[in-house]
């Protein structure tokens, strides 16, 4: 489909990749962040740490002017920072009208500016119309993440924002690739961003019984993909952006190419608001479509970065789908030959940003021939007999990787990347 020649996230993908391979976890207790967390059953989240850019932390002033910071919601700020790093790594600085016309943005968020909504509602109830910030609506809109990027860099190609719950990041990357394939752009900034670690948002997920609640005192153990003692996901925040480029365009300018995006598959469970079918039928169809477009058999896939959020039903359904597709005549001989891991044990679940950061991780897995670990995997339940790289990374030849993203409403997406040669 197109070349992927950049991988980066708002807090530095190289730093995050190293910490991931070293088994570090970014999940912390957030009770001190807001006293209202104290009454909630889930008091943990994966937060972007405050601190200097040099130390891997976040200070808006290091990335944005005061005017930009005032106009942007937090998720858009993260996206802007990720884009700056992405463009720098890609060495793409379009200056002519033709170059800017051929460069677009496809970046979304699942929930977006939750804090602003809550704070404005409270202010309006107390003080009425005059307490509503004139920037309230522009900061509220999901597409303003992509909009601010386009405005800052004067990109005049497609300006697109997906918002498909936890599939947003993957859909953004896949849709961006299709813009290129259809001739609408030569280069696309693509990814996802999220920042909604707020007591009301966490409370809503907790009331839906979606979150891990048994590890408030040991937050680093809370997210446990595939583990028999998993009990729910952990909300995370951040942004991830990659630059997609038409292969001929990338080669003509001598761009560094990390991988190729070969296939993109989408499907719907058509089943339930929050739960997949137990047999993982929707996930199966998304993966099958991605491989069909890539013109690859399941046996060619050396690594699968699973959506696996650490929920009982979700992990089991995805595991069933993976085994259904990857075992058999066109796949692997036995389950232990199927290499699967989930990085949400370390990063938490970035919701609208999850598919983007996991796509970047999949590309790095190909680029460095390393399968990232599934941390906190202590005990497997019946039926979980693939190779999940428990606790430690594994060195192996990875020429093709698949990454999955699924969201509330039954929306599914899979991306297939391959090594460029």
């Amino acid at each position: 489909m197109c070349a992927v020649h950049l991988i980066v996230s708002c807090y530095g993908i190289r730093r995050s990749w190293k910490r991931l391979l070293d088994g570090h976890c970014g999940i912390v207790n957030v009770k001190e962040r807001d006293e209202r967390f104290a009454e909630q059953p889930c008091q943990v989240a994966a937060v972007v740490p405050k601190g200097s850019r040099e130390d891997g932390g976040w200070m808006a002033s290091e990335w944005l002017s005061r005017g930009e910071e005032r106009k942007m919601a937090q998720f858009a700020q993260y996206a802007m920072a990720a884009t700056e790093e992405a463009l720098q790594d890609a060495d793409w600085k379009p200056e002519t009208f033709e170059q800017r016309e051929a460069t677009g943005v496809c970046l979304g968020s699942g929930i977006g500016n939750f804090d602003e909504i809550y704070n404005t509602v409270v202010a309006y109830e107390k003080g009425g119309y005059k307490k509503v910030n004139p920037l309230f609506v522009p900061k509220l809109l999901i597409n303003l993440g992509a909009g601010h990027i386009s405005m800052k860099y004067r990109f005049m190609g497609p300006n697109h924002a997906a918002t498909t719950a936890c599939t947003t990041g993957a859909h953004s990357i896949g849709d961006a690739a299709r813009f290129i394939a259809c001739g609408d752009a030569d280069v696309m900034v693509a990814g996802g961003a999220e920042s909604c670690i707020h007591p009301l948002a966490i409370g809503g997920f907790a009331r839906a019984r979606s979150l891990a609640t048994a590890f408030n005192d040991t937050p680093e153990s809370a997210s446990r993909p595939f583990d028999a003692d998993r009990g729910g996901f952990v909300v995370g925040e951040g942004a991830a952006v990659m630059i997609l480029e038409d292969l001929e365009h990338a080669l003509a300018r001598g761009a560094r190419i990390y991988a190729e995006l070969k296939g993109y598959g989408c499907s719907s469970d058509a089943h339930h608001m929050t739960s997949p079918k137990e047999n993982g039928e929707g996930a199966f169809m998304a993966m099958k479509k991605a491989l069909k477009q890539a013109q690859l058999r399941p046996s060619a896939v050396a690594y699968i970065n699973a959506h696996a959020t650490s929920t009982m039903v979700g992990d089991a359904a995805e595991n069933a789908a993976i085994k259904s597709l990857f075992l058999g005549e066109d796949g692997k001989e036995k389950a232990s030959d199927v290499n699967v891991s989930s990085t949400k044990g370390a990063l938490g679940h970035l919701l609208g940003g999850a598919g983007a950061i996991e796509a970047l991780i999949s590309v790095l897995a190909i680029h460095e021939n390393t399968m990232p670990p599934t941390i906190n995997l202590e005990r497997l339940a019946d039926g979980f007999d693939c190779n999940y790289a428990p606790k430690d990374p594994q060195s192996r030849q990875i020429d093709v990787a698949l990454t999955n993203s699924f969201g509330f409403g039954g929306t599914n997406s899979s991306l297939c990347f391959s090594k460029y040669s």
Side-chain angles (χ1 to χ4, degrees):
M1 288 180 70
C2 56
V4 180
H5 59 81
L6 159 83
I7 37 234
V8 73
S9 74
C10 76
Y11 40 83
I13 190 63
R14 292 296 181 183
R15 178 186 176 90
S16 297
W17 173 252
K18 183 180 185 305
R19 288 176 61 82
L20 178 64
L21 297 187
D22 289 343
H24 288 282
C25 179
I27 299 171
V28 298
N29 189 291
V30 293
K31 189 165 58 176
E32 301 302 319
R33 183 170 170 148
D34 190 308
E35 62 183 12
R36 291 170 293 184
F37 281 119
E39 67 176 4
Q40 300 207 18
C42 177
Q43 300 169 4
V44 299
V47 303
V48 174
K50 297 185 184 301
S52 71
R53 178 176 180 174
E54 183 180 359
D55 293 331
W58 169 260
M59 288 195 297
S61 61
E62 290 189 309
W63 299 93
L64 308 165
S65 68
R66 293 184 67 179
E68 288 173 329
E69 186 177 352
R70 181 177 63 87
K71 294 176 183 178
M72 294 182 198
Q74 182 102 353
F75 82 92
Q77 294 179 21
Y78 288 162
M80 188 68 79
T83 299
E84 180 181 319
E85 287 192 330
L87 292 170
Q88 182 178 3
D89 190 88
D91 194 27
W92 180 240
K93 302 172 184 177
E95 296 178 352
T96 68
F97 179 88
E98 290 75 17
Q99 289 175 330
R100 291 187 284 112
E101 184 185 29
T103 305
V105 184
C106 189
L107 184 139
S109 182
I111 295 178
N113 196 9
F114 198 94
D115 284 24
E116 192 82 15
I117 298 172
Y118 179 86
N119 293 337
T120 301
V121 169
V122 172
Y124 180 77
E125 285 297 309
K126 292 180 178 179
Y129 164 77
K130 292 185 178 181
K131 292 297 183 180
V132 178
N133 187 326
L135 294 171
F136 172 58
V137 171
K139 291 177 73 173
L140 187 68
L141 299 175
I142 295 294
N143 73 298
L144 259 292
H148 280 297
I149 293 167
S150 294
M151 288 183 281
K152 179 170 183 175
Y153 295 101
R154 299 187 298 161
F155 296 155
M156 296 183 295
N159 184 344
H160 183 66
T163 177
T164 48
C166 305
T167 321
T168 296
H171 277 153
S172 295
I173 292 169
D175 290 351
R178 288 183 175 172
F179 282 128
I180 294 173
C182 289
D184 295 316
D186 292 329
V187 180
M188 290 292 297
V189 175
E194 201 74 80
S195 180
C196 63
I197 298 176
H198 184 281
L200 183 56
I202 300 293
F205 282 121
R207 289 287 287 174
R209 299 184 179 180
S210 298
L211 301 184
T213 59
F215 299 91
N216 290 333
D217 295 330
T218 53
E220 67 281 356
S221 302
S223 183
R224 316 179 63 83
F226 306 122
D227 190 77
D229 297 320
R230 66 191 186 277
F233 71 82
V234 175
V235 176
E237 65 175 354
V241 164
M242 64 167 58
I243 306 299
L244 301 180
E245 184 169 0
D246 175 77
L247 182 56
E248 291 185 6
H249 188 273
L251 292 172
R253 71 182 188 88
R256 176 171 48 184
I257 298 173
Y258 288 89
E260 287 187 77
L261 176 51
K262 303 287 284 188
Y264 170 42
C266 301
S267 71
S268 175
D269 290 341
H271 173 64
H272 188 270
M273 285 194 302
T274 60
S275 295
K277 292 181 180 178
E278 291 186 2
N279 65 359
E281 182 180 43
F284 176 92
M285 289 189 294
M287 291 186 288
K288 185 176 181 180
K289 289 178 180 179
L291 291 179
K292 180 180 179 180
Q293 187 176 73
Q295 297 183 333
L296 293 170
R297 294 183 176 183
S299 58
V301 178
Y303 169 59
I304 304 157
N305 183 284
H307 179 69
T309 64
S310 185
T311 64
M312 291 300 293
V313 175
D315 288 15
E318 184 176 12
N319 188 68
I322 288 170
K323 290 175 64 176
S324 294
L325 182 61
F326 288 92
L327 292 178
E329 184 177 349
D330 289 333
K332 312 291 185 179
E333 291 186 5
K334 54 186 184 298
S336 59
D337 294 331
V338 180
N339 302 313
V340 187
S341 73
S342 172
T343 49
K344 287 187 174 74
L347 298 173
H349 187 4
L350 272 65
L351 307 178
I357 186 66
E358 288 157 15
L360 304 188
I361 288 168
S362 299
V363 170
L364 277 176
I366 291 171
H367 188 64
E368 301 196 4
N369 288 312
T370 302
M371 179 179 172
T374 304
I375 70 168
N376 296 324
L377 182 50
E378 304 282 351
R379 185 168 62 93
L380 290 170
D382 291 343
F384 289 84
D385 50 359
C386 297
N387 171 32
Y388 305 99
K391 300 182 182 179
D392 297 309
Q394 297 178 3
S395 296
R396 57 184 62 253
Q397 184 67 31
I398 302 177
D399 293 330
V400 178
L402 198 71
T403 181
N404 293 332
S405 291
F406 316 129
F408 281 5
T411 179
N412 310 301
S413 181
S414 291
L415 298 167
C416 180
F417 295 97
S418 73
K419 194 182 294 290
Y420 174 74
S421 58

